Short mmCIF file of all heavy atoms in Angstrom, two decimals:
data_model
loop_
_atom_site.label_atom_id
_atom_site.label_comp_id
_atom_site.label_asym_id
_atom_site.label_seq_id
_atom_site.Cartn_x
_atom_site.Cartn_y
_atom_site.Cartn_z
N LYS B 424 -7.37 18.12 -1.96
CA LYS B 424 -6.42 19.19 -2.24
C LYS B 424 -6.64 19.72 -3.66
O LYS B 424 -7.22 19.04 -4.51
CB LYS B 424 -4.98 18.75 -2.03
CG LYS B 424 -4.40 17.83 -3.05
CD LYS B 424 -2.86 17.88 -2.90
CE LYS B 424 -2.20 16.80 -3.73
NZ LYS B 424 -2.00 15.55 -3.01
N VAL B 522 9.32 13.46 -0.88
CA VAL B 522 8.57 14.69 -1.15
C VAL B 522 9.00 15.75 -0.14
O VAL B 522 8.90 15.54 1.06
CB VAL B 522 7.04 14.45 -1.02
CG1 VAL B 522 6.28 15.77 -1.23
CG2 VAL B 522 6.57 13.39 -2.00
N LYS B 524 8.50 19.69 1.11
CA LYS B 524 7.61 20.85 0.96
C LYS B 524 7.72 21.78 2.15
O LYS B 524 8.11 21.39 3.25
CB LYS B 524 6.17 20.40 0.77
CG LYS B 524 5.56 19.68 1.95
CD LYS B 524 4.09 19.38 1.66
CE LYS B 524 3.46 18.45 2.69
NZ LYS B 524 4.07 17.13 2.79
N ARG B 526 5.25 23.77 4.41
CA ARG B 526 3.81 23.69 4.73
C ARG B 526 3.45 24.71 5.81
O ARG B 526 4.04 24.70 6.89
CB ARG B 526 3.46 22.28 5.18
CG ARG B 526 2.11 22.14 5.86
CD ARG B 526 1.68 20.69 5.98
NE ARG B 526 1.14 20.19 4.72
CZ ARG B 526 0.60 18.96 4.56
NH1 ARG B 526 0.55 18.12 5.58
NH2 ARG B 526 0.13 18.59 3.39
N ASP B 539 0.70 24.57 0.83
CA ASP B 539 1.91 23.79 0.54
C ASP B 539 2.66 24.32 -0.68
O ASP B 539 2.05 24.50 -1.75
CB ASP B 539 1.54 22.32 0.27
CG ASP B 539 1.05 21.58 1.50
OD1 ASP B 539 1.28 22.08 2.63
OD2 ASP B 539 0.47 20.50 1.33
N VAL B 541 5.40 22.71 -2.85
CA VAL B 541 6.04 21.40 -2.98
C VAL B 541 7.16 21.47 -4.02
O VAL B 541 6.92 21.90 -5.16
CB VAL B 541 5.00 20.33 -3.40
CG1 VAL B 541 5.63 18.94 -3.36
CG2 VAL B 541 3.77 20.38 -2.50
N LEU B 544 6.73 20.61 -7.81
CA LEU B 544 5.32 20.44 -8.20
C LEU B 544 4.51 21.73 -8.20
O LEU B 544 3.51 21.82 -8.90
CB LEU B 544 4.63 19.44 -7.28
CG LEU B 544 5.04 17.97 -7.38
CD1 LEU B 544 4.23 17.14 -6.40
CD2 LEU B 544 4.87 17.44 -8.80
N PHE B 547 -0.19 24.26 -3.57
CA PHE B 547 -1.45 23.55 -3.35
C PHE B 547 -2.10 23.99 -2.05
O PHE B 547 -1.41 24.41 -1.12
CB PHE B 547 -1.21 22.04 -3.25
CG PHE B 547 -0.60 21.42 -4.47
CD1 PHE B 547 0.77 21.49 -4.69
CD2 PHE B 547 -1.41 20.77 -5.39
CE1 PHE B 547 1.33 20.91 -5.82
CE2 PHE B 547 -0.85 20.18 -6.51
CZ PHE B 547 0.52 20.25 -6.74
N GLU B 549 -4.62 22.25 0.85
CA GLU B 549 -5.21 21.00 1.28
C GLU B 549 -6.19 21.28 2.42
O GLU B 549 -5.85 22.03 3.33
CB GLU B 549 -4.09 20.06 1.76
CG GLU B 549 -4.36 18.61 1.48
CD GLU B 549 -3.16 17.72 1.80
OE1 GLU B 549 -2.93 17.45 2.99
OE2 GLU B 549 -2.45 17.32 0.86
N LYS B 584 -4.57 12.82 -6.83
CA LYS B 584 -3.30 12.10 -6.70
C LYS B 584 -2.47 12.66 -5.55
O LYS B 584 -2.55 13.85 -5.24
CB LYS B 584 -2.48 12.23 -7.99
CG LYS B 584 -2.99 11.34 -9.10
CD LYS B 584 -2.02 11.36 -10.27
CE LYS B 584 -2.56 10.50 -11.41
NZ LYS B 584 -1.77 10.65 -12.62
N SER B 585 -1.67 11.81 -4.96
CA SER B 585 -0.77 12.25 -3.89
C SER B 585 0.41 12.99 -4.50
O SER B 585 0.70 12.87 -5.70
CB SER B 585 -0.26 11.04 -3.11
OG SER B 585 0.61 10.28 -3.93
N TYR B 586 1.11 13.77 -3.68
CA TYR B 586 2.33 14.44 -4.14
C TYR B 586 3.32 13.41 -4.67
O TYR B 586 3.99 13.64 -5.68
CB TYR B 586 2.97 15.25 -3.01
CG TYR B 586 2.13 16.44 -2.55
CD1 TYR B 586 1.96 16.70 -1.20
CD2 TYR B 586 1.53 17.28 -3.47
CE1 TYR B 586 1.20 17.78 -0.77
CE2 TYR B 586 0.76 18.36 -3.06
CZ TYR B 586 0.60 18.61 -1.70
OH TYR B 586 -0.14 19.68 -1.28
N LEU B 587 3.39 12.27 -3.99
CA LEU B 587 4.33 11.23 -4.45
C LEU B 587 3.96 10.75 -5.85
O LEU B 587 4.82 10.67 -6.74
CB LEU B 587 4.33 10.06 -3.48
CG LEU B 587 5.25 8.90 -3.87
CD1 LEU B 587 6.72 9.33 -3.81
CD2 LEU B 587 5.02 7.67 -2.99
N GLU B 588 2.66 10.48 -6.07
CA GLU B 588 2.22 10.03 -7.39
C GLU B 588 2.52 11.09 -8.45
O GLU B 588 2.98 10.76 -9.56
CB GLU B 588 0.71 9.72 -7.37
CG GLU B 588 0.38 8.43 -6.64
CD GLU B 588 -1.13 8.27 -6.37
OE1 GLU B 588 -1.83 9.29 -6.19
OE2 GLU B 588 -1.59 7.13 -6.32
N LEU B 589 2.28 12.35 -8.10
CA LEU B 589 2.56 13.43 -9.06
C LEU B 589 4.05 13.49 -9.37
O LEU B 589 4.45 13.64 -10.53
CB LEU B 589 2.07 14.77 -8.49
CG LEU B 589 0.54 14.91 -8.32
CD1 LEU B 589 0.21 16.18 -7.55
CD2 LEU B 589 -0.16 14.90 -9.68
N LEU B 590 4.87 13.34 -8.35
CA LEU B 590 6.33 13.40 -8.55
C LEU B 590 6.82 12.24 -9.40
O LEU B 590 7.69 12.40 -10.25
CB LEU B 590 7.06 13.36 -7.20
CG LEU B 590 7.37 14.70 -6.55
CD1 LEU B 590 8.07 14.47 -5.23
CD2 LEU B 590 8.24 15.58 -7.44
N LEU B 591 6.25 11.05 -9.13
CA LEU B 591 6.68 9.86 -9.86
C LEU B 591 6.04 9.82 -11.25
O LEU B 591 6.41 8.98 -12.09
CB LEU B 591 6.33 8.58 -9.10
CG LEU B 591 6.99 8.40 -7.72
CD1 LEU B 591 6.50 7.11 -7.06
CD2 LEU B 591 8.52 8.37 -7.82
#
Side-chain angles (χ1 to χ4, degrees):
Chain B
K424 74 162 170 269
V522 177
K524 64 176 170 299
R526 165 166 281 185
D539 291 344
V541 187
L544 291 181
F547 299 82
E549 214 173 78
K584 284 189 182 171
S585 69
Y586 294 136
L587 179 67
E588 286 169 329
L589 294 171
L590 269 179
L591 298 178

